[in-house]
Amino acid sequence: MGGERALTLVSLGFVAFALVVALLSNATPSPMWRSGVLLIANCLFVGSYVTSALQLLPFAAFLLLGFVVIEAVRRHPSSTAQWVGIAAITLSFIFLKKYSFLGASLALPFPYLIIGLSYVLFRVLHLLIDARQGELREPIGLLDFFNYTCNFLTFTAGPIQRFEDYRAQRQLPTALEPPLVRESFSRIAIGYVKVAVVSAIFNNLFASVSSRVLAPELARSLSNPAFVFAFAAAAVCYTVYLYYNFSGYVDIVIGVGWLCGQRLPENFNRPFSARNFLDFWSRWHMTLSDWFKTYLFNPLFKVLAARFQRPSVAPYLGVVAFFVTFLVMGVWHGTTSVFVVYGVVLGAGASLNKLWQVFIQKRLGKKAYKALSERPAAIYLSRGLTSAYFALALTCLWVNLAELQALVHRLGIVGLVACYAGLTAVTACAFVAWDRLSALLARRTTEGGAQRSTLARDFALAAQVLLIFAVSSFFHKAPEFVYRAF
Amino acid sequence: MKPILIQLARLLGALLGLYAVILALSFVLVPNDHVAGRLDTARASSSLFITEPKYVFMARGQLDSPADKVVLLGASNVMAGFKQEQVQALLPNVEVHNLAVGGSNIKQVGQVVDLVHEVQSPVARQHTEYVIGLWYGLFAADSARWNTPDRVAGDTDIDIERYRYGFYRRTDHGPEPLLPPRYLSVGAFLIHPCLALDRATRDATQSVRGFLSGKPAPLTDEQRNQAVVTPAEQAKYLAFWRDYMGSADTVSQESFRTLEHVVDSIAQGGGRVLLVDMPIPAWHSRGSALHANYRVRMDSELARLQARPGVSVARMTDANDDLDFRDEVHPKPRVAELWARQLVKSLEPALVRADNDAERPALVNAALSSTGSL
């Protein structure tokens, strides 16, 4: 929707737009001026995704509903008001997102804006629950509400900033110093290298390999070991593509945010260094994980703990709470049945991870378990197991349910186990090699970093920009930003 | 605001400096000699342009000359059936250029004509005779043909090349040139490092890409000459074209209007066009409802177009022996020379009409007699 006018992240239009917004944001140090600039920028950005006012209407109604409900709950913070509000907002969201179980008859008969709706939902629910808990003492003005929920930098796919952080920095005057500007430019360039170079290359590789697995005729021509290999290669390519695509997007919006006087939260912290599945989710899409932890896992765990008070049961309550949380998080990713499978796979990963921790600590004791988990072999094996599981789980994002069934049928139990074991071994070895290489490069960079002149930094930045343009010209189409679809 | 503007200026300066160095280096490492001689998209894969659409887009500047020229247009069957060097050998006093692009439909053929017109002077246009190879596959509906996941819906392969380096910009009315066509050579000069890098990258990764995509290695001419299409393959090909065309039995009406526009555009430019009714194997024409539908409509269309000045028609549909084709549409290499001679024979009257020079028919006749006749 919006077609060619849409300000997509990988368009030159977006770069120019962001630059103008950054320049205008710094025209005066006044916070009010910055809010005004942000308001206009947000309107233009959201408007670029639609071609008529009608397409904006459902989205605007959803926003208005959110605003009214939050204010009502803030004024009358009762549990009933909160749950009625959550139900109204969630049901509206499900309706507008056209979840497949609703059927075609329950959909509005015209195209309308859906992009950004998921993340608006998170922000609205966050405000609503905080209002119920009395954390929103002052009313939120319409301008603040719109700028917070529809911030052009975080509109499409986060990161999910907390309202109090947004409000605190909104009131600060801007003070843009040259080192921060250099750092911002560098962060933005790295982001574009990730999106337009690395993710584009892996997207291209993924398209080639996945067609061999998904096209029935090509798949039939492969022997079973070759099929397992091709599937594993497709899973790896998609995972690398997704990571660089999303983390690149976050680098860009954080970098532009710095230029505009916004400090957006980080969303990734070296996720492939995670030693287990739960650790992984504290490093991947961190603001989403935090949101689910705050607004689903913690309340659910509290309810369960209140209901089942025997100490011996307590560790298993975490298993249940993790399963439910990850199931919901998985289902949130899409509107079709394959995302329920994704949720189950994520839930299974999280709860098995928790069960394993409970079991192994009982068996070995905390001290011995800690000692074991600090051994390099155990670390790399854990990282391999975690990354391989995540890569296989992500299959649900690139197939439909029928294709998933065909894949599982073709692989069989043996194929799936072989795939998981092979991927674990290969990724564990790759992590060893990567860590050594990174350490070597880091040492060199530290040694030479002190002497690196501003001019050298400018040329390094220019080299990245040229690389982005050169590689972009290789491909027909810039890679889509994956998370905008979620 | 000031720190941002200063950083921008520094970045711009570094970009210009670095690019100047890279540009100079790229010409040292990869000399710019890739468009010498007549244009032939069959040589695109060995050129710096790599693909046929990019070759057509970037190399077309050579067509702006007052010399008489024949420009071959169509899809891959034109490339396989009318080999540039064979047609050129039969027409030594005319420049023969092959601008056929594999996978084209008539919309894309029209775009190639537009690209040629963009770079040609009025005089050069008047000295251009187009040959368009027609068959039902060329009339695939745009909505079906140009709607694959790897492209912006509706973009043809030529459109992709227009946008690739920013020479054109996307508008609601279609592509609009940002770089005036007269500066095409300047544009090609400036993007030389990108072309060289693309070529080097593709060469370096060819085997990996081949392995990943699982595409079989291209056949040799000998293998193509020996190819036999089995009944199972025939069924597969027929199913493919039903899917490709966007309809199982009806050829797009819009495409016939596009053909008419292409012919009009050529005539308005002062050029001439020979419409060649290309053959497909007999088994294919017997088994395809699309072909039957196309045949009825094309016969009347050709009769109508033939009546226009500057338009002539050559019917080659009799050359449809199953054994002369290596698949459902491409002739075997061994018959290409016969096809070339038949094409030149059909071109002769048009060339004679177009040229007041008394030597022209003699030259064509001499060329034909030296290679025999069909």
Side-chain angles (χ1 to χ4, degrees):
Chain A
M1 197 187 295
E4 288 113 33
R5 296 181 318 115
L7 286 167
T8 54
L9 200 75
V10 285
S11 65
L12 281 174
F14 178 82
V15 177
F17 173 76
L19 190 64
V20 170
V21 175
L23 286 169
L24 288 175
S25 297
N26 291 280
T28 78
S30 152
M32 200 54 219
W33 166 263
R34 212 163 68 229
S35 287
V37 171
L38 186 60
L39 170 70
I40 295 167
N42 295 340
C43 289
L44 290 174
F45 183 82
V46 176
S48 79
Y49 283 90
V50 295
T51 51
S52 71
L54 182 66
Q55 293 178 356
L56 208 54
L57 207 59
F59 182 83
F62 183 72
L63 272 184
L64 192 64
L65 173 72
F67 180 77
V68 169
V69 166
I70 290 163
E71 187 52 22
V73 173
R74 195 191 66 79
R75 287 185 189 186
H76 312 285
S78 71
S79 184
T80 311
Q82 176 191 262
W83 284 111
V84 168
I86 289 176
I89 287 165
T90 310
L91 290 174
S92 310
F93 172 79
I94 290 171
F95 171 72
L96 291 178
K97 280 284 272 189
K98 305 174 194 168
Y99 272 77
S100 60
F101 67 83
L102 291 177
S105 56
L106 257 181
L108 293 176
F110 57 89
Y112 55 87
L113 182 71
I114 292 180
I115 290 167
L117 205 62
S118 298
Y119 288 86
V120 170
L121 172 79
F122 289 133
R123 293 182 193 110
V124 167
L125 290 182
H126 146 58
L127 286 171
L128 177 63
I129 296 166
D130 283 11
R132 158 77 179 92
Q133 291 168 351
E135 289 178 28
L136 285 180
R137 293 210 170 79
E138 296 165 33
I140 306 174
L142 257 177
L143 174 68
D144 264 349
F145 179 75
F146 179 72
N147 275 352
Y148 170 67
T149 51
C150 298
N151 184 345
F152 77 99
L153 290 171
T154 58
F155 180 76
T156 319
I160 308 166
Q161 191 181 28
R162 293 193 62 79
F163 181 71
E164 52 269 32
D165 296 337
Y166 160 81
R167 189 178 250 176
Q169 60 185 240
R170 183 184 69 76
Q171 287 156 352
L172 295 174
T174 49
L176 208 53
E177 297 297 330
L180 180 64
V181 173
R182 267 200 302 277
E183 211 181 323
S184 305
F185 271 59
S186 175
R187 184 87 190 248
I188 295 166
I190 287 171
Y192 275 110
V193 168
K194 283 183 177 178
V195 175
V197 178
V198 185
S199 97
I201 289 170
F202 277 89
N203 183 30
N204 195 263
L205 289 172
F206 167 73
S208 289
V209 186
S210 62
S211 68
R212 298 196 70 179
V213 177
L214 296 178
E217 202 168 305
L218 289 173
R220 268 195 297 276
S221 70
L222 294 174
S223 65
N224 283 344
F227 186 84
V228 170
F229 177 79
F231 170 62
V236 168
C237 288
Y238 186 82
T239 306
V240 177
Y241 157 61
L242 182 71
Y243 171 63
Y244 280 96
N245 188 277
F246 195 12
S247 71
Y249 158 85
V250 172
D251 287 334
I252 295 165
V253 297
I254 285 179
V256 175
W258 289 345
L259 292 177
C260 298
Q262 297 184 38
R263 283 268 165 188
L264 298 175
E266 293 291 343
N267 222 14
F268 290 92
N269 176 23
R270 300 170 61 235
F272 296 103
S273 303
R275 298 182 190 180
N276 61 57
F277 195 73
L278 295 174
D279 183 22
F280 182 90
W281 279 97
S282 67
R283 294 161 172 271
W284 174 283
H285 207 343
M286 288 149 63
T287 56
L288 179 75
S289 304
D290 278 350
W291 192 96
F292 273 100
K293 188 178 155 194
T294 309
Y295 296 114
L296 183 56
F297 178 82
N298 288 347
L300 180 63
F301 188 78
K302 270 186 195 167
V303 169
L304 290 171
R307 176 83 178 76
F308 305 98
Q309 292 179 346
R310 274 170 47 204
S312 60
V313 179
Y316 300 103
L317 300 181
V319 174
V320 175
F322 274 124
F323 183 83
V324 173
T325 304
F326 278 87
L327 173 69
V328 173
M329 194 153 77
V331 172
W332 162 80
H333 278 80
T335 58
T336 55
S337 45
V338 77
F339 291 94
V340 178
V341 180
Y342 183 53
V344 170
V345 175
L346 292 189
S351 46
L352 283 172
N353 187 167
K354 186 68 191 166
L355 268 178
W356 167 255
Q357 286 175 341
V358 172
F359 167 78
I360 201 76
Q361 283 186 31
K362 269 189 182 171
R363 179 105 185 175
L364 301 177
K366 273 191 179 172
K367 208 173 167 185
Y369 168 64
K370 200 175 174 192
L372 174 71
S373 59
E374 288 304 321
R375 287 185 189 171
I379 291 172
Y380 283 107
L381 179 64
S382 308
R383 285 176 63 185
L385 283 165
T386 304
S387 302
Y389 188 87
F390 181 63
L392 294 181
L394 285 181
T395 305
C396 297
L397 302 191
W398 51 272
V399 296
N400 57 37
L401 195 60
E403 287 169 334
L404 185 66
Q405 284 169 336
L407 263 177
V408 172
H409 180 72
R410 173 72 197 267
L411 287 164
I413 297 291
V414 176
L416 276 171
V417 171
C419 198
Y420 186 43
L423 266 182
T424 300
V426 169
T427 47
C429 293
F431 289 144
V432 173
W434 179 262
D435 285 355
R436 295 204 172 163
L437 187 69
S438 301
L440 188 74
L441 288 174
R443 214 166 34 240
R444 294 246 167 119
T445 313
T446 314
E447 284 162 6
Q451 293 92 37
R452 208 172 174 201
S453 67
T454 317
L455 191 67
R457 285 173 198 222
D458 290 338
F459 275 101
L461 198 60
Q464 289 177 44
V465 174
L466 291 180
L467 179 70
I468 292 161
F469 278 107
V471 175
S472 299
S473 75
F474 292 179
F475 300 108
H476 297 177
K477 194 176 160 187
E480 289 278 354
F481 171 51
V482 188
Y483 261 75
R484 73 175 231 170
F486 297 149
Chain B
M1 193 190 254
K2 200 175 160 191
I4 298 178
L5 291 173
I6 291 171
Q7 183 60 47
L8 265 180
R10 294 180 67 99
L11 175 60
L12 194 65
L15 270 174
L16 290 174
L18 191 61
Y19 197 70
V21 173
I22 292 172
L23 190 63
L25 264 178
S26 76
F27 276 101
V28 172
L29 296 171
V30 186
N32 190 17
D33 58 356
H34 42 270
V35 286
R38 307 282 187 261
L39 300 184
D40 182 7
T41 44
R43 294 201 302 263
S45 61
S46 58
S47 75
L48 203 55
F49 302 127
I50 306 172
T51 64
E52 294 148 18
K54 198 195 278 188
Y55 182 95
V56 169
F57 183 77
M58 300 300 301
R60 65 196 149 113
Q62 275 187 228
L63 299 172
D64 185 23
S65 76
D68 286 336
K69 53 184 81 64
V70 169
V71 176
L72 306 175
L73 300 175
S76 55
N77 56 340
V78 169
M79 223 183 309
F82 304 138
K83 292 190 183 294
Q84 187 271 340
E85 70 272 16
Q86 290 175 341
V87 181
Q88 181 67 80
L90 296 169
L91 294 169
N93 283 17
V94 176
E95 287 183 8
V96 177
H97 300 275
N98 168 26
L99 297 190
V101 175
S104 286
N105 73 347
I106 191 67
K107 177 183 179 181
Q108 182 158 278
V109 169
Q111 289 181 327
V112 176
V113 172
D114 293 342
L115 289 180
V116 174
H117 279 175
E118 271 184 5
V119 294
Q120 280 188 322
S121 66
V123 175
R125 287 182 191 179
Q126 286 163 13
H127 285 264
T128 305
E129 167 99 25
Y130 292 92
V131 173
I132 304 180
L134 303 172
W135 76 290
Y136 82 80
L138 203 71
F139 291 79
D142 292 333
S143 54
R145 176 63 191 95
W146 309 117
N147 197 14
T148 52
D150 63 340
R151 68 181 74 228
V152 174
D155 279 3
T156 65
D157 292 344
I158 290 292
D159 287 332
I160 288 169
E161 297 312 322
R162 282 168 154 164
Y163 298 129
R164 190 185 293 276
Y165 299 107
F167 288 8
Y168 279 69
R169 71 187 179 96
R170 196 181 288 281
T171 72
D172 292 340
H173 322 290
E176 270 184 15
L178 277 176
L179 180 80
R182 63 180 181 280
Y183 295 126
L184 182 67
S185 57
V186 178
F189 171 82
L190 288 173
I191 61 162
H192 190 263
C194 288
L195 296 173
L197 184 64
D198 196 1
R199 174 85 258 179
T201 310
R202 290 203 194 218
D203 287 348
T205 58
Q206 191 176 16
S207 53
V208 176
R209 285 183 294 110
F211 172 74
L212 289 176
S213 65
K215 280 183 188 160
L219 300 176
T220 63
D221 275 2
E222 198 176 334
Q223 288 169 321
R224 285 175 175 154
N225 280 331
Q226 288 167 358
V228 177
V229 182
T230 64
E233 286 170 328
Q234 290 178 7
K236 201 174 74 180
Y237 285 133
L238 290 172
F240 169 83
W241 285 102
R242 284 194 293 272
D243 180 51
Y244 180 93
M245 296 292 289
S247 164
D249 51 16
T250 313
V251 176
S252 155
Q253 182 65 39
E254 178 66 27
S255 297
F256 285 92
R257 283 194 289 274
T258 308
L259 171 66
E260 200 168 338
H261 289 149
V262 174
V263 169
D264 286 346
S265 161
I266 292 170
Q268 280 161 15
R272 299 169 306 281
V273 60
L274 172 67
L275 302 172
V276 183
D277 200 358
M278 300 287 281
I280 56 174
W283 65 261
H284 188 170
S285 43
R286 276 197 307 272
S288 171
L290 282 160
H291 176 76
N293 177 263
Y294 162 81
R295 190 69 274 149
V296 173
R297 288 159 76 171
M298 185 44 89
D299 283 342
S300 60
E301 188 74 14
L302 286 177
R304 212 159 55 81
L305 291 173
Q306 196 169 10
R308 299 186 183 187
V311 181
S312 47
V313 171
R315 294 182 193 277
M316 288 183 58
T317 44
D318 289 346
N320 65 346
D321 189 333
D322 289 351
L323 296 175
D324 286 345
F325 290 82
R326 64 179 158 93
D327 53 27
E328 83 282 28
V329 64
H330 300 103
K332 290 178 175 173
R334 65 175 168 76
V335 299
E337 195 164 343
L338 288 173
W339 281 32
R341 266 188 266 136
Q342 194 165 346
L343 173 69
V344 170
K345 204 173 168 185
S346 304
L347 270 170
E348 182 194 5
L351 291 172
V352 171
R353 272 201 309 276
D355 201 329
N356 294 327
D357 186 346
E359 282 183 79
R360 173 51 53 84
L363 286 169
V364 174
N365 288 333
L368 287 170
S369 60
S370 67
T371 51
S373 58
L374 284 168

